[in-house]
Amino acid sequence: MLQIVENPARNLWQTLAARPALNLWSLMDTVKEIFDDVAANGDKAVIKYTEKYDNVTIPNYQASEEEINGAEALLPEQLKVDMLKASMNILKFHSLQRFETNKVETTDGVTCWQKALPIEKVGLYIPGGRAPLFSTVMMLCIPASVAGCKEIILCTPPNREGKIHPAILFAAKLSNVKKIYKAGGIQAIAAMALGTDTVPRVYKLFGPGNQYVTAAKQYASFNGVAVDMPAGPSEVLVIGDETSNPEYVAADLLAQAEHGPDSQSILVTTSKMLALKVAQAVDRQILHLSRKSIIDQALANSRIVVLKTLQQVIDFSNLYAPEHLIVEINDYELLIPRINNAASVFLGHYTPESAGDYASGANHTLPTNGNARAYSGVNYDSFVRKVTFQEITNMGIKNLGPVITTLADHEELDAHSNSVRIRIKDIY
Amino acid sequence: MLQIVENPARNLWQTLAARPALNLWSLMDTVKEIFDDVAANGDKAVIKYTEKYDNVTIPNYQASEEEINGAEALLPEQLKVDMLKASMNILKFHSLQRFETNKVETTDGVTCWQKALPIEKVGLYIPGGRAPLFSTVMMLCIPASVAGCKEIILCTPPNREGKIHPAILFAAKLSNVKKIYKAGGIQAIAAMALGTDTVPRVYKLFGPGNQYVTAAKQYASFNGVAVDMPAGPSEVLVIGDETSNPEYVAADLLAQAEHGPDSQSILVTTSKMLALKVAQAVDRQILHLSRKSIIDQALANSRIVVLKTLQQVIDFSNLYAPEHLIVEINDYELLIPRINNAASVFLGHYTPESAGDYASGANHTLPTNGNARAYSGVNYDSFVRKVTFQEITNMGIKNLGPVITTLADHEELDAHSNSVRIRIKDIY
């Protein structure tokens, strides 16, 4: 049964909000070795590591046009229709995020503005696993394509037959992404970060992955490649009170737990009764779920925390800084202004995390492990840079020039002052 | 005299666009040692390293209220007035960047939106040096304060007398930033990343610094602290043609070069005549500049590239991806849509980089070393997270539920489907 902690003292909260520890630093020697090998030997190295880790030899590891175009025929009709519906929602929400330029004249004759420019080359990583994570393909390809990225590269590990699941190929094709490579793990990240004869070098890397992929992305960030965010095991924090439906809450905790043995599901509530009912409902519902053994392991890292007031509940949630926050209470609107740290928030009794995982339109690539304190989830912004433009007229530099020279002179940068004075003296 | 390269073949461009190499990886052992020491010994370690590297012992290294409030009286009136004017422009431009929420109903009953939430705790690093970099204080404190960050921490190395320059204290006070610490280098970054009894732990680190500070920020990013961007030596690329004023262009190249011996100034032009005149003007203007020896070293890394067409010029610029791009030609408007990679763009003959360095309102904390390909400069966005909210009604989940369950079932996540089905069955 889920552990229930009642009214813990404030000084215990930090411990209750702890995640299973990750130590990526210890993986860096392995990462560096594979990066060095890919830098020196390119595709040969990538193919070698695919043999070693994915147990398959693929001399030409780019997915062919036939494979990509043939994927559609291999999928059931209902799946394709529903992938399209989900894609439309993701497209709608991310299109709304497009940036519009505003100009401002800060001083007479001095105009500044920002312009969003797409990152030209981006690399998307889709992890392997038992089932194809085509939803993550949609969550990365659609915003990249809304942003207008010119070159979108996708890497995902092949199965034992050297193939990529057709649902992944179809999801990529929906966004017109066609440069798809059968490579996974550190070697895929290295190929995209460094470039090989087959894989173009990219400027920013996206997507989830295991600890090796995460460490490889961090290493890449040392070598001039940007990354979306540090990845980690998935997590949910549910806020409940006496108005919550214990069956819904239990289902949400279980949905999170099935992601992996290191997932974490936390319920924080003012209601002891809810805590007990949810714990019972979890035990009941789990019997019907196919990933029971994974869920059991995840629930061992999970807990229910009972606190006295909703203010304490939201304080705990802000301390935890959850990837997913579900506020399953009648009065959820009252809590919205008090949410400081969370990556994606689900409001009310009918907004399960699954909706955002797949189809509501929101992105599911989100910061975990408390990184919601400083990082946004993947969104339109992740695929653009806001470039600053400024345009100064001759009268503008006459107006602003004296301010610039005073400041530059006090920073003892007289070549800076000179670049202003040399212009002002020409203006009458 | 500045090196002039005429009509280089395309395959040489990459070499001409190269920066002096940086190898941060080799510094990581030193960084890790100091982080471990600060983690174990807190303030004691910070004080020890300040003794070692800054040659001063400061047992209580937080700037006192008296020091902060007393700074104003120590500064000349004109400097304070002009700092205020520059601050107002920076405030105007960064306030304009504030994010407004838009809601979208992606499916009937399914509403998604983003909300910008300030990062609660941020750490700003201001490097030391001969002259006080108060302009960087303004460039970091003002957007942090526009974003609404609750706790803004500033670290800067003390001088030999254990003091911080009053212009730095005054600039911070203009933004009501009061938690100021006399600590620099790796130990300052470690203190902010880990927290000590004196320095609060922050969630994101900002600001320029030498290679040790840069390596320390990268190391911090491994340990759950976000960073603004990888830093590096400053650089400018000027685009010129036969309409450019060679004296202005020379002054801009020199202004960039005085930042440091590893700075880089590049002129790319269609006009051989301009190239020659600029090289001469550089030699002439440099005689009157106080940082001549630094400039001489920087100019050794610098060059003029003559190309045949403006399209080639902009292609070269996009390949270089400059931190600062100055387009000093009559027809600069024609080039705007073709600029893909640059961090901050200065348009026309009267828009020197110095304007953006100090007072136009644009930020001067910008990605260098080609990182403009993937990173924005510091702006309002840097201090917030865009948190996703979604709100689904009972009819909304009835509409969208079947899409979610199809997708979840195909990813073999039946606890996800269960969390939707358990709700739908209650809705009639």
Side-chain angles (χ1 to χ4, degrees):
Chain A
M1 202 174 204
L2 257 175
Q3 186 201 0
I4 300 181
V5 184
E6 268 190 85
N7 295 314
R10 279 260 173 176
N11 59 10
L12 297 176
W13 285 21
Q14 196 73 57
T15 312
L16 290 168
R19 274 78 164 182
L22 268 182
N23 187 354
L24 297 178
W25 197 253
S26 62
L27 308 177
M28 280 299 151
D29 287 341
T30 310
V31 169
K32 189 173 181 313
E33 193 185 311
I34 296 180
F35 265 70
D36 288 347
D37 199 353
V38 171
N41 302 304
D43 289 329
K44 241 173 85 180
V46 176
I47 293 162
K48 182 181 79 184
Y49 291 109
T50 302
E51 274 172 359
K52 186 171 169 187
Y53 295 116
D54 300 305
N55 299 302
V56 58
T57 306
I58 321 179
N60 179 3
Y61 61 97
Q62 178 168 9
S64 68
E65 248 182 272
E66 295 75 50
E67 279 176 286
I68 297 171
N69 294 332
E72 190 169 345
L74 304 173
L75 298 173
E77 205 56 26
Q78 191 61 51
L79 176 60
K80 286 184 283 187
V81 169
D82 287 342
M83 280 171 76
L84 265 171
K85 285 186 185 167
S87 290
M88 290 306 299
N89 284 352
I90 299 166
L91 185 66
K92 269 186 217 167
F93 185 49
H94 289 80
S95 298
L96 183 83
Q97 297 168 22
R98 280 206 188 95
F99 177 75
E100 285 188 36
T101 293
N102 276 312
K103 292 192 180 188
V104 61
E105 197 169 2
T106 55
T107 293
D108 284 348
V110 178
T111 307
C112 298
W113 68 95
Q114 288 182 303
K115 186 174 163 186
L117 294 180
I119 299 175
E120 290 184 302
K121 302 176 187 212
V122 296
L124 316 180
Y125 185 80
I126 305 297
R130 211 179 47 171
L133 294 179
F134 55 84
S135 61
T136 303
V137 179
M138 299 191 291
M139 294 293 176
L140 297 176
C141 290
I142 295 170
S145 139
V146 169
C149 299
K150 274 191 210 148
E151 191 150 63
I152 304 174
I153 306 301
L154 192 150
C155 280
T156 190
N159 66 14
R160 295 278 178 105
E161 286 78 49
K163 301 222 184 281
I164 297 175
H165 194 285
I168 288 190
L169 298 173
F170 179 70
K173 210 195 156 200
L174 283 181
S175 296
N176 209 24
V177 170
K178 288 171 176 169
K179 294 198 169 170
I180 302 172
Y181 303 90
K182 301 168 186 174
I186 301 170
Q187 62 273 22
I189 301 299
M192 292 191 280
L194 301 166
T196 71
D197 289 341
T198 302
V199 182
R201 172 183 157 233
V202 303
Y203 303 149
K204 189 168 181 178
L205 291 163
F206 293 81
N210 61 20
Q211 53 182 347
Y212 292 98
V213 170
T214 303
K217 282 170 65 186
Q218 288 276 28
Y219 184 80
S221 77
F222 268 80
N223 295 278
V225 185
V227 300
D228 51 355
M229 70 188 80
S234 194
E235 65 205 19
V236 73
L237 188 146
V238 178
I239 288 178
D241 66 7
E242 68 288 348
T243 68
S244 309
N245 182 320
E247 296 295 333
Y248 298 178
V249 172
D252 291 340
L253 298 175
L254 288 162
Q256 183 56 56
E258 80 173 331
H259 275 295
D262 49 7
S263 290
Q264 196 171 54
S265 298
I266 307 275
L267 166 63
V268 194
T269 177
T270 49
S271 164
K272 176 75 190 290
M273 182 62 83
L274 180 75
L276 291 168
K277 283 187 182 167
V278 167
Q280 285 165 2
V282 163
D283 287 349
R284 203 179 326 110
Q285 290 184 28
I286 199 177
L287 300 174
H288 308 287
L289 298 173
S290 61
R291 291 164 73 90
K292 186 176 178 309
S293 75
I294 290 171
I295 294 174
D296 278 333
Q297 294 170 70
L299 292 184
N301 304 322
S302 299
R303 58 191 72 96
I304 300 176
V305 180
V306 182
L307 294 170
K308 286 198 175 135
T309 65
L310 265 186
Q311 186 57 52
Q312 287 182 346
V313 166
I314 191 71
D315 287 349
F316 186 93
S317 174
N318 283 329
L319 178 75
Y320 185 80
E323 179 191 13
H324 306 97
L325 169 60
I326 318 183
V327 189
E328 303 199 43
I329 63 175
N330 282 353
D331 280 339
Y332 61 83
E333 290 203 10
L334 291 178
L335 287 193
I336 295 176
R338 296 194 244 168
I339 296 169
N340 296 329
N341 295 319
S344 194
V345 183
F346 301 76
L347 297 167
H349 302 296
Y350 296 100
T351 315
E353 185 198 312
S354 309
D357 286 343
Y358 288 107
S360 65
N363 211 291
H364 79 197
T365 312
L366 298 166
T368 58
N369 200 26
N371 286 306
R373 285 185 276 261
Y375 291 87
S376 305
V378 164
N379 59 32
Y380 166 83
D381 285 350
S382 314
F383 293 91
V384 300
R385 296 142 301 153
K386 301 221 175 131
V387 176
T388 305
F389 286 77
Q390 51 197 296
E391 190 177 20
I392 305 182
T393 63
N394 54 357
M395 293 319 289
I397 198 67
K398 209 171 172 183
N399 292 332
L400 191 63
V403 175
I404 302 168
T405 54
T406 302
L407 270 55
D409 288 343
H410 276 91
E411 287 193 353
E412 297 178 21
L413 295 173
D414 63 348
H416 280 64
S417 300
N418 177 56
S419 73
V420 172
R421 292 202 178 97
I422 207 166
R423 286 169 162 97
I424 293 182
K425 72 168 175 46
D426 290 346
I427 305 161
Y428 34 86
Chain B
M1 202 170 201
L2 256 176
Q3 186 201 1
I4 300 181
V5 184
E6 269 190 83
N7 296 315
R10 279 261 175 180
N11 59 9
L12 298 176
W13 285 20
Q14 196 73 55
T15 312
L16 290 169
R19 275 79 165 180
L22 267 181
N23 188 354
L24 295 177
W25 197 253
S26 62
L27 308 177
M28 279 300 150
D29 287 340
T30 311
V31 169
K32 189 175 183 309
E33 194 185 311
I34 296 180
F35 265 69
D36 288 347
D37 199 352
V38 172
N41 302 305
D43 289 328
K44 241 172 83 178
V46 176
I47 293 162
K48 183 180 79 186
Y49 291 109
T50 301
E51 273 170 0
K52 185 169 170 186
Y53 294 116
D54 299 305
N55 299 301
V56 58
T57 307
I58 321 180
N60 180 3
Y61 63 95
Q62 180 168 8
S64 69
E65 248 183 273
E66 295 75 50
E67 279 176 286
I68 298 172
N69 293 333
E72 190 170 346
L74 303 173
L75 297 173
E77 204 57 25
Q78 191 62 52
L79 176 60
K80 286 183 283 186
V81 168
D82 287 342
M83 280 171 77
L84 265 171
K85 284 186 186 165
S87 290
M88 290 307 300
N89 283 353
I90 300 166
L91 185 66
K92 270 186 216 165
F93 185 49
H94 288 81
S95 297
L96 183 83
Q97 296 169 20
R98 281 207 188 94
F99 177 76
E100 286 188 33
T101 293
N102 276 313
K103 292 192 178 187
V104 61
E105 195 168 2
T106 55
T107 293
D108 284 348
V110 178
T111 307
C112 297
W113 68 96
Q114 287 181 304
K115 186 176 163 186
L117 294 180
I119 299 175
E120 290 184 303
K121 303 177 188 213
V122 295
L124 316 180
Y125 185 79
I126 306 297
R130 211 180 44 168
L133 294 179
F134 55 84
S135 62
T136 304
V137 179
M138 299 191 292
M139 294 294 176
L140 297 176
C141 288
I142 294 170
S145 139
V146 168
C149 299
K150 273 191 212 150
E151 192 151 61
I152 305 175
I153 306 300
L154 192 150
C155 280
T156 192
N159 67 13
R160 295 280 177 104
E161 287 77 48
K163 302 223 185 278
I164 298 174
H165 193 285
I168 287 188
L169 297 174
F170 179 70
K173 210 195 155 197
L174 283 180
S175 296
N176 209 23
V177 171
K178 289 170 176 171
K179 294 197 169 169
I180 303 172
Y181 303 89
K182 301 168 185 175
I186 301 170
Q187 62 271 23
I189 301 299
M192 292 191 281
L194 302 166
T196 70
D197 288 342
T198 301
V199 182
R201 174 184 156 230
V202 304
Y203 302 150
K204 189 168 182 179
L205 290 163
F206 293 82
N210 61 20
Q211 52 182 346
Y212 291 99
V213 169
T214 302
K217 282 169 67 186
Q218 288 277 28
Y219 184 79
S221 77
F222 268 81
N223 295 278
V225 185
V227 299
D228 51 355
M229 70 188 78
S234 194
E235 65 204 20
V236 72
L237 188 144
V238 178
I239 289 179
D241 67 7
E242 68 288 348
T243 68
S244 310
N245 182 319
E247 297 295 333
Y248 298 178
V249 172
D252 291 340
L253 297 176
L254 288 163
Q256 182 57 54
E258 78 173 333
H259 274 295
D262 49 7
S263 289
Q264 197 170 56
S265 297
I266 308 276
L267 166 63
V268 194
T269 177
T270 49
S271 164
K272 176 76 189 291
M273 182 63 82
L274 180 75
L276 292 168
K277 285 187 181 167
V278 167
Q280 287 164 1
V282 162
D283 287 350
R284 202 177 326 109
Q285 290 183 28
I286 198 175
L287 301 174
H288 309 287
L289 297 173
S290 60
R291 292 164 74 90
K292 185 175 180 309
S293 75
I294 291 170
I295 294 174
D296 277 334
Q297 294 172 68
L299 291 184
N301 305 322
S302 299
R303 59 191 71 96
I304 300 177
V305 180
V306 182
L307 295 170
K308 288 201 174 131
T309 64
L310 265 187
Q311 185 59 50
Q312 287 181 348
V313 166
I314 191 71
D315 286 350
F316 186 92
S317 175
N318 284 328
L319 177 75
Y320 184 80
E323 179 192 13
H324 305 98
L325 170 61
I326 319 184
V327 190
E328 303 199 40
I329 63 175
N330 282 353
D331 280 339
Y332 62 83
E333 289 203 10
L334 291 178
L335 286 194
I336 296 176
R338 296 194 245 168
I339 295 169
N340 296 330
N341 295 320
S344 196
V345 183
F346 301 76
L347 297 168
H349 302 296
Y350 296 101
T351 315
E353 186 198 314
S354 309
D357 286 343
Y358 287 108
S360 66
N363 210 292
H364 78 198
T365 311
L366 299 166
T368 58
N369 199 26
N371 285 306
R373 285 186 275 262
Y375 291 87
S376 304
V378 164
N379 59 32
Y380 166 84
D381 285 350
S382 314
F383 293 92
V384 300
R385 297 143 298 154
K386 301 218 175 132
V387 176
T388 306
F389 286 76
Q390 51 198 295
E391 190 177 19
I392 306 181
T393 64
N394 55 357
M395 293 319 288
I397 197 69
K398 207 172 173 183
N399 291 332
L400 190 64
V403 175
I404 302 168
T405 55
T406 302
L407 271 54
D409 288 343
H410 277 89
E411 287 195 352
E412 298 179 21
L413 295 173
D414 62 348
H416 280 63
S417 300
N418 177 57
S419 73
V420 173
R421 290 200 180 99
I422 208 167
R423 285 167 161 99
I424 294 182
K425 74 170 172 43
D426 289 346
I427 304 160
Y428 32 88

